[in-house]
Amino acid sequence: MDHHEPVALPRASLEDGHHSRPRRNLSLARAERRSRDPKRAWNAEFVQIYPNRGCVPYTTWVRLIDGATEALDILAYAGKFLFDSRPDLADVLIEKAKAGTRIRLLFGDPDFSEVRRRSEEEGLPASALSTRIDIVLNYVRKAINAPGIEVRLHDTPLYNSIFRSDTTMLVNLHTYGSGTPFNPVLHLQHVPGGRIFDHYQQSFHKVWDAAKPFGSEVSS
């Protein structure tokens, strides 16, 4: 072929005067391929891994709660640290529920034998965790019967504490012989095609379905 012979361009390039349309189509095609690639989706779910709960910035916990617009799910034995650092949390939850956020709080049953066993595993007095749960239940007293807020007690051996806000999730891992604050925390985000976020959310649902509703009677 004569090197000076003009090369025919794709019609799309001639119509718009440059190559933006083919490039745009190529970009969309690549994005679709990435969404169908499980490994890319799984990697995208991980925002960050913290070596322990104390390394999670306070602002991250604040954004997790304040940023919820659709759903806020908490699964823990006590989760007392949330209320210690934010005394008005019950009022915040009530306002979030009024704005349309569905709030589900799952705490350990203070009378459950697994709660006592967990305290002993962490080298604490057998009643330590039960006491923390009772304190938290008093913290949320005013929110218990608020519309849009549900509180349940579970008797499940927990392997993780789960804090989910819409498409954001913090998972505090549990390690035998180590208190929850000293264990790693996974910061996850929901991504189309991902599996890890949904895996933990399914765990929350299983505990929720087996838990018993907690009424307005709270021990003092």
Side-chain angles (χ1 to χ4, degrees), residues 53 58 61-62 64-65 74 76 78-89 105 107 136 139 163:
R53 198 174 69 199
Y58 172 72
W61 295 108
V62 172
L64 184 82
I65 295 173
I74 294 178
K80 184 172 174 288
F81 73 97
L82 289 174
F83 297 87
D84 286 341
S85 61
R86 198 167 184 181
D88 66 336
L89 184 54
L105 308 177
F107 302 114
V136 167
Y139 282 157
F163 308 87

Side-chain angles (χ1 to χ4, degrees), residues 1-204:
M1 181 179 70
D2 187 346
H3 291 292
H4 296 288
E5 181 181 344
V7 178
L9 296 176
R11 172 172 295 209
S13 298
L14 293 173
E15 288 178 348
D16 60 12
H18 50 73
H19 298 281
S20 61
R21 185 174 301 174
R23 288 174 180 171
R24 183 167 57 251
N25 293 340
L26 180 59
S27 177
L28 290 174
R30 288 174 176 170
E32 291 176 358
R33 285 198 299 271
R34 284 197 297 269
S35 67
R36 294 194 298 266
D37 186 340
K39 292 184 178 179
R40 287 175 181 253
W42 300 340
N43 290 334
E45 287 185 278
F46 283 97
V47 178
Q48 190 163 350
I49 300 178
Y50 297 96
N52 57 67
R53 198 174 69 199
C55 290
V56 181
Y58 172 72
T59 53
T60 298
W61 295 108
V62 172
R63 287 196 300 269
L64 184 82
I65 295 173
D66 290 357
T69 59
E70 298 179 2
L72 179 64
D73 297 330
I74 294 178
L75 167 61
Y77 275 129
K80 184 172 174 288
F81 73 97
L82 289 174
F83 297 87
D84 286 341
S85 61
R86 198 167 184 181
D88 66 336
L89 184 54
D91 294 318
V92 173
L93 295 178
I94 292 174
E95 292 303 313
K96 297 296 293 184
K98 286 181 180 178
T101 304
R102 181 187 183 185
I103 298 174
R104 295 180 293 184
L105 308 177
L106 267 171
F107 302 114
D109 186 335
D111 298 325
F112 179 44
S113 60
E114 186 65 29
V115 170
R116 176 178 293 271
R117 184 178 299 113
R118 178 57 60 91
S119 290
E120 294 173 342
E121 289 175 1
E122 296 180 5
L124 301 173
S127 61
L129 187 50
S130 294
T131 299
R132 291 206 296 265
I133 295 172
D134 285 333
I135 293 173
V136 167
L137 293 178
N138 275 283
Y139 282 157
V140 299
R141 179 194 297 270
K142 64 170 66 176
I144 287 175
N145 292 321
I149 298 179
E150 298 177 81
V151 181
R152 295 187 182 183
L153 299 181
H154 68 87
D155 58 1
T156 308
L158 285 190
Y159 306 105
N160 307 276
S161 295
I162 298 174
F163 308 87
R164 175 249 177 155
S165 169
D166 295 345
T167 58
T168 299
M169 180 182 291
L170 295 175
V171 180
N172 194 172
L173 308 182
H174 290 196
T175 306
Y176 182 85
S178 176
T180 310
F182 305 100
N183 297 331
V185 174
L186 308 180
H187 185 172
L188 306 174
Q189 62 181 348
H190 187 268
V191 174
R195 299 181 180 179
I196 302 170
F197 186 103
D198 290 339
H199 180 75
Y200 281 110
Q201 188 63 24
Q202 289 172 7
S203 177
F204 175 91

